[in-house]
Amino acid sequence: MRNFVDLHIHSTASDGTYAPADVVAMAERRRLAAVALTDHDTIDGLAAAQKAAAAFGDLIFVPGIEVSAKFPQGTLHILGLAIDAASRDVAALCRQLRAARDDRNPRILARLREMGMSIDMQDLHEVLGATPAGRSESGRIIGRLHIAEAMRRKKYVANTKEAFGKYLGNGCPAYVDKERLAPADAIAAIHRGGGLAVLAHPVQLKYGNTAQLERMLRQLIHDGLDGIEVYHSDHSDQQTRLYLDLAKRFKLAITGGSDFHGRGKDYVFLGRPRVPLSVVKQSAPRLLGN
Ligand code: AMP
Ligand code: ZN
Ligand code: FE
Ligand code: FE
């Protein structure tokens, strides 16, 4: 019996270090019931992952994406789960998100240069190239985790955590915001692409107290939100219980995942925390098909 799922995973299509087919194979080795690929701002890995999953008869593959949206404080990421990879609306969304990154990355590098850290696009391509992508580097999503890894290689920082803590994190000197969609627009794009819109890692919203989190949730539900990522590697047991309670009260779909990035975040493991298949299935029957 396969009893657990992982519905939040990154691959080399964005800032993970394992190729799409490899993360699917890892999910199979862990005997997961279902696995979703949710790369930042791209669906480029979905075809390869889907193909790999088809070879494993008992593993359900859920095509997904992770989109950042505008938010006054903290981080608002929305997962689009069970999206249609062939949707023109999803393709248009990805083009828009990629353009925002192309505008932002050089500005981050300029800030770092001002602080005496010389990282150029060539360095970033070396970071991408060192991963077993098996596909053209130029098409890949480049983000802050790649920049952090380039900084580590040049010994400006000891590890990527330090890079975020001192320079790249929200509010730090080399932080540059990127053009983001309003939550309602991100959710609408996911819906047009046939997907379920799920609030990723609610802990990262940086709400002050439960009442404030509830207000944020109500607003997002008004914007069309379908579900909440109750289980996530960043959540304490207490937080998980709170999100589970809120999900039930607001009748939201319940999902969860590791947010696995491979070697880029060596403290996160595929399949952890355990996300019960039964809970996801009951709250979101159409998410896992049949
Ligand atoms: P980006 O999409 O380019 O803004 O970068 C997002 C990536 O940076 C995701 O993989 C995040 O998990 C990672 N990230 C953001 N903040 C931190 C942090 N404080 N420490 C480590 N990784 C982070
Ligand atoms: Zn990431
Ligand atoms: Fe995220
Ligand atoms: Fe993620």
Side-chain angles (χ1 to χ4, degrees):
M1 271 301 279
R2 296 174 181 235
N3 296 321
F4 301 99
V5 304
D6 189 335
L7 302 179
H8 189 159
I9 294 184
H10 297 271
S11 76
T12 48
S14 66
D15 57 359
T17 62
Y18 292 97
D22 295 341
V23 296
V24 168
M26 291 168 87
E28 170 67 14
R29 277 202 297 280
R30 283 162 184 64
R31 295 289 181 267
L32 295 183
V35 63
L37 188 66
T38 54
D39 274 305
H40 300 282
D41 303 350
T42 183
I43 54 168
D44 284 358
L46 297 183
Q50 182 107 55
K51 190 167 167 232
F56 305 122
D58 294 329
L59 179 64
I60 297 170
F61 178 70
V62 178
I65 188 168
E66 182 174 22
V67 177
S68 7
K70 264 191 210 129
F71 195 64
Q73 64 179 110
T75 301
L76 172 54
H77 286 175
I78 299 173
L79 295 169
L81 292 179
I83 53 164
D84 173 7
S87 153
R88 294 163 69 107
D89 289 294
V90 173
L93 172 68
C94 292
R95 273 197 301 278
Q96 193 180 352
L97 297 169
R98 187 181 290 268
R101 285 183 180 277
D102 289 345
D103 174 66
R104 175 211 216 188
N105 286 332
R107 294 198 286 145
I108 296 178
L109 299 186
R111 291 269 183 97
L112 291 173
R113 238 178 339 265
E114 283 166 22
M115 285 182 279
M117 288 170 275
S118 150
I119 310 271
D120 56 25
M121 288 311 283
Q122 181 55 38
D123 296 317
L124 298 186
H125 280 113
E126 268 165 36
V127 170
L128 296 177
T131 58
R135 57 192 292 280
S136 127
E137 304 168 1
S138 56
R140 288 179 44 194
I141 287 290
I142 302 179
R144 283 181 291 161
L145 199 54
H146 298 116
I147 298 174
E149 170 61 12
M151 291 169 74
R152 189 193 66 79
R153 289 186 189 189
K154 291 207 157 171
K155 302 209 165 30
Y156 295 133
V157 291
N159 51 50
T160 53
K161 247 193 167 141
E162 185 188 344
F164 278 96
K166 283 192 182 160
Y167 304 108
L168 301 173
N170 200 335
C172 295
Y175 180 78
V176 177
D177 205 0
K178 61 180 181 314
E179 190 58 37
R180 290 169 200 269
L181 292 165
D185 294 335
I187 292 169
I190 289 166
H191 285 167
R192 284 197 302 275
L196 223 58
V198 174
L199 170 63
H201 39 62
V203 66
Q204 290 181 21
L205 292 175
K206 303 242 186 303
Y207 51 88
N209 53 46
T210 309
Q212 205 182 346
L213 172 61
E214 280 191 32
R215 277 197 297 279
M216 293 170 176
L217 260 184
R218 274 185 224 282
Q219 177 60 48
L220 288 169
I221 291 167
H222 177 264
D223 289 342
L225 191 77
D226 304 299
I228 176 169
E229 189 174 46
V230 165
Y231 308 89
H232 184 275
S233 51
D234 278 353
H235 296 168
S236 67
D237 290 348
Q238 197 185 351
Q239 285 161 342
T240 303
R241 279 194 297 275
L242 169 64
Y243 305 147
L244 193 56
D245 174 60
L246 288 170
K248 287 177 178 166
R249 272 171 47 211
F250 290 113
K251 299 201 170 21
L252 291 166
I254 296 166
T255 79
S258 60
D259 213 349
F260 182 66
H261 280 73
R263 286 179 296 274
K265 293 189 180 189
D266 57 9
Y267 44 91
V268 177
F269 303 92
L270 195 148
R272 294 299 160 118
R274 288 188 189 280
V275 179
L277 169 70
S278 56
V279 173
V280 177
K281 224 173 178 167
Q282 193 185 9
S283 72
R286 69 159 256 247
L287 191 54
L288 303 175
N290 47 68

